[in-house]
Amino acid sequence: MYGSHSIDAPWGASVFGAASVDAAPDLARLRVAIAETRPKPGEAFEATRGGVNRIRDVLRGHGIPDTAVSTSRLDLKSSWDYGGERKFLGYECTASFVIELRELDLLESVLVDVVEAGANQVDGVEFDVSAKKELRAQARRAAVAAAREKAELYAEAAQVRLGPVVHIKDVDSEQMPSNYRSHRGGAAGGDGDGDLTPGRISVTAGVVVGFSLIGG
């Protein structure tokens, strides 16, 4: 399965190691958008701008600062109705943005209020951990330890000893099986309190380590 990560030259032992560190999510990113269609482009921009301002006011009311809201896309396009006879409906202006929420207890109420304020597109909610860099480093250390443990087992079975490490190659976590890199959450992985927050998030790492071999 990991042939693309292996080392071809038969100079020693090449082993793959993986590790996963679980953590409770402490932030969420809400991806929402507001789209308004008007006969003229300027009117569409104005209507969308008004909706964005309403949403920002709602977020401020929840104590969410403007710095936690980033605009990811502003789009203007012609809108048509193709049912039966092609009919021009006007110009559709769409503003998409990401809301970073660190008070997860507010997630449901913020999402409801944002929709009521005019966000007519909800693209999804992504949970994450703010200390991902530190957790990834921990997972990488554990992955190296797992690789060494596997290599020692092979060396013992082959009646040789491990020599120095001569090659280390990082493995992109997106190329690893889903059981290593998936976010474990939702109904199956939550704490059973009935909220929308996943119970745990897995931060993973994989590595290929090459060892030289010494005769037994």
Side-chain angles (χ1 to χ4, degrees), residues 199-214:
R200 310 293 288 177
I201 285 180
S202 294
V203 180
T204 62
V207 66
V208 172
V209 182
F211 297 87
S212 60
L213 294 177
I214 303 172

Side-chain angles (χ1 to χ4, degrees), residues 19-213:
S20 177
V21 178
D22 289 349
D26 59 2
L27 64 88
R29 296 183 184 92
L30 285 64
R31 301 183 184 276
V32 299
I34 181 169
E36 296 287 350
T37 302
R38 295 292 186 276
K40 297 181 179 180
E43 294 173 351
F45 271 117
E46 186 63 28
T48 302
R49 185 181 302 114
V52 170
N53 290 337
R54 291 194 304 273
I55 290 172
R56 286 187 177 274
D57 287 341
V58 165
L59 295 175
R60 292 187 190 112
H62 282 284
I64 301 172
D66 289 349
T67 54
V69 184
S70 58
T71 302
S72 60
R73 181 171 61 90
L74 183 63
D75 185 39
L76 180 68
K77 64 180 180 180
S78 300
S79 179
W80 297 83
D81 181 3
Y82 293 96
E85 183 177 330
R86 187 170 183 261
K87 179 181 179 182
F88 179 66
L89 300 178
Y91 294 92
E92 182 182 76
C93 181
T94 303
S96 303
F97 40 95
V98 180
I99 305 164
E100 189 168 282
L101 183 63
R102 293 183 178 271
E103 297 292 337
L104 297 188
D105 291 344
L106 298 177
L107 174 59
E108 188 172 346
S109 60
V110 167
L111 193 54
V112 169
D113 289 349
V114 163
V115 170
E116 290 181 348
N120 45 21
Q121 297 178 15
V122 179
D123 295 328
V125 179
E126 172 192 346
F127 295 98
D128 207 347
V129 287
S130 57
K132 180 170 283 185
K133 182 178 179 180
E134 293 80 1
L135 294 171
R136 186 80 69 189
Q138 185 179 342
R140 283 171 174 156
R141 293 188 185 96
V144 171
R148 175 174 288 276
E149 181 180 359
K150 185 188 296 184
E152 288 174 345
L153 179 62
Y154 284 136
E156 180 184 353
Q159 298 182 353
V160 295
R161 290 182 293 118
L162 292 182
V165 172
V166 295
H167 186 96
I168 299 176
K169 183 176 182 179
D170 181 60
V171 177
D172 186 350
S173 61
E174 292 301 316
Q175 300 179 28
M176 294 166 58
S178 59
N179 60 305
Y180 278 120
R181 59 181 170 86
S182 63
H183 286 194
R184 282 179 271 182
D191 294 330
D193 294 333
D195 61 19
L196 300 178
T197 308
R200 310 293 288 177
I201 285 180
S202 294
V203 180
T204 62
V207 66
V208 172
V209 182
F211 297 87
S212 60
L213 294 177

